[in-house]
Amino acid sequence: MSVAILGIESSCDDTSAAVIVDGILRSNVIASQKVHEAYGGVVPELASRAHQQNIVPVVSEALRQAGIEKDQLSAIAYTRGPGLLGSLLVGTSFAKGMSIGLDIPLIDVNHLHAHVLSHFIKTDINDKSPEFPFICLLISGGNSQIILVKSMSEMEILGKTIDDAAGEAFDKCAKVIGLPYPGGPHVDRHAAEGNPKAFQFSKPHIPGLDYSFSGLKTSFLYTVRDNLKQNPAFIEENISDLCASLQYTIIDILLNKLKKAIKQTGVKDVAIGGGVSANSGVRNAVEELCRDLKVRPWIPPRAFTTDNAAMVAIAGYHKYLNKDFSDLGLPPFARVSI
């Protein structure tokens, strides 16, 4: 009998539902929220309201595209956290209600865990995946972590940010120079036309494998402010160089620690995940680093880098195989490591 898992993701501002049958992805539907663009960031109350509007049609469309009926589902996997509490409550409540209504198991999924396991999403039976143990550089708007992945369920954080995440650095610096939210993709686009060494920004000196990006943000802000005093057209005339230099610095910070982690652990497979892993500069730099160190790079399709339910469904699928089900009384949580 086939194992069909419905995944539901609602941790931030994207409502997503996906169906995986016997480990193969059948559908992955995402409804993005444009309402936050005017505010330069996600507004939690608006996000939760949008999830309420989107979740029923998104789940219905995911089932339709997968070609299955709801009574054919084996279990429902949902993002329990971390994320925005109001947004998580919408997905959690819907998943619990559907689980009760269909009398099928409920599976809670850690959002960060799901990003790591996105490398096990298969659209074809012959798709390859990293071999355990491997390192995953998890980089997103709220998290920057180096994780040693020992199995589907056992993961160890080797290093993490002590303040801002890489994605926050991209978005907040982008806002300083007037780029729309989310700023990361716009920085990436401008960086392709700029000189990555036109400006020098501060780099942290943090021991071990931990990260810090707050000093870089401050350095970027002061550079822009001081030059604007001399030239009101500074941003317009230098936007590509600013973006290229910012991106170059962030990548350099990320890869210096990743290189240390690879050498310390001796792993042969290195993966990246999270929204910032969609950045073309990051993807190219990780591939180049892996070539130099003679390890295998695992770069996810861009469709699986941002928040999506396919990664929740694949995490749920493997928990289902181990009969790792959750209690209906479990509440969502806003913060956790891994």
Side-chain angles (χ1 to χ4, degrees):
M1 184 176 178
S2 292
V3 175
I5 306 295
L6 170 66
I8 295 174
E9 156 62 21
S10 68
S11 64
C12 192
D13 61 336
D14 287 335
T15 312
S16 182
V19 175
I20 282 180
V21 179
D22 294 334
I24 306 299
L25 184 65
R26 289 277 195 90
S27 65
N28 187 35
V29 179
I30 302 174
S32 298
Q33 301 175 8
K34 301 294 185 183
V35 65
H36 307 286
E37 292 179 359
Y39 300 94
V42 177
V43 181
E45 178 62 26
L46 295 180
S48 57
R49 291 181 183 180
H51 283 303
Q52 290 178 316
Q53 295 174 336
N54 293 334
I55 194 162
V56 171
V58 164
V59 169
S60 296
E61 180 62 14
L63 291 171
R64 187 194 69 79
Q65 289 186 16
I68 69 170
E69 300 295 329
K70 59 181 180 294
D71 57 8
Q72 294 177 279
L73 292 171
S74 305
I76 299 173
Y78 71 99
T79 300
R80 184 179 165 215
L84 300 175
L85 199 54
S87 296
L88 290 166
L89 278 167
V90 175
T92 299
S93 300
F94 185 90
K96 288 180 178 179
M98 196 169 182
S99 170
I100 293 170
L102 296 175
D103 193 24
I104 57 176
L106 186 68
I107 301 170
D108 68 299
V109 173
N110 182 308
H111 180 76
L112 306 183
H113 191 165
H115 269 304
V116 174
L117 296 186
S118 65
H119 291 277
F120 294 87
I121 299 170
K122 293 185 177 182
T123 56
D124 182 85
I125 194 66
N126 296 315
D127 288 350
K128 304 296 183 182
S129 301
E131 295 182 6
F132 299 112
F134 67 91
I135 278 179
C136 182
L137 174 62
L138 178 57
I139 37 179
S140 66
N143 297 277
S144 293
Q145 299 178 341
I146 299 176
I147 302 166
L148 179 62
V149 187
K150 302 175 183 179
S151 70
M152 288 288 181
S153 58
E154 187 180 3
M155 304 182 191
E156 177 187 355
I157 297 176
L158 303 179
K160 62 184 184 299
T161 181
I162 63 173
D163 42 55
D164 290 333
E168 289 177 294
F170 272 120
D171 288 342
K172 291 177 180 179
C173 289
K175 187 174 183 179
V176 168
I177 56 177
L179 293 178
Y181 175 84
H186 296 283
V187 170
D188 192 16
R189 177 172 54 85
H190 283 290
E193 302 173 356
N195 175 7
K197 297 186 178 180
F199 299 96
Q200 290 190 347
F201 304 120
S202 296
K203 296 179 183 178
H205 299 283
I206 307 299
L209 297 176
D210 285 342
Y211 287 113
S212 170
F213 292 96
S214 61
L216 165 63
K217 279 192 333 179
T218 302
S219 175
F220 185 88
L221 173 62
Y222 286 168
T223 296
V224 172
R225 185 198 63 181
D226 292 346
N227 280 279
L228 278 175
K229 291 178 180 178
Q230 306 297 323
N231 177 15
F234 170 74
I235 293 176
E236 182 180 352
E237 293 174 357
N238 295 275
I239 191 165
S240 294
D241 287 347
L242 284 167
C243 289
S245 299
L246 172 66
Q247 182 163 291
Y248 174 83
T249 306
I250 291 176
I251 291 172
D252 191 45
I253 294 169
L254 289 170
L255 265 61
N256 279 339
K257 295 300 179 81
L258 179 60
K259 184 177 181 179
K260 289 181 181 179
I262 295 169
K263 291 183 175 181
Q264 287 180 17
T265 58
V267 298
K268 298 301 181 185
D269 289 47
V270 176
I272 58 174
V276 179
S277 67
N279 180 281
S280 59
V282 170
R283 296 164 80 88
N284 293 336
V286 169
E287 287 190 327
E288 183 178 348
L289 175 66
C290 289
R291 280 196 302 269
D292 292 344
L293 298 181
K294 295 180 171 55
V295 297
R296 288 182 293 269
W298 294 90
I299 313 296
R302 282 187 167 86
F304 302 144
T305 58
T306 54
D307 295 346
N308 67 92
M311 66 184 191
V312 177
I314 195 61
Y317 173 73
H318 288 283
K319 293 185 79 169
Y320 180 90
L321 296 180
N322 290 324
K323 300 188 183 304
D324 186 3
F325 305 137
S326 62
D327 190 291
L328 285 168
L330 288 177
F333 55 86
R335 294 183 180 276
V336 76
S337 52
I338 190 77

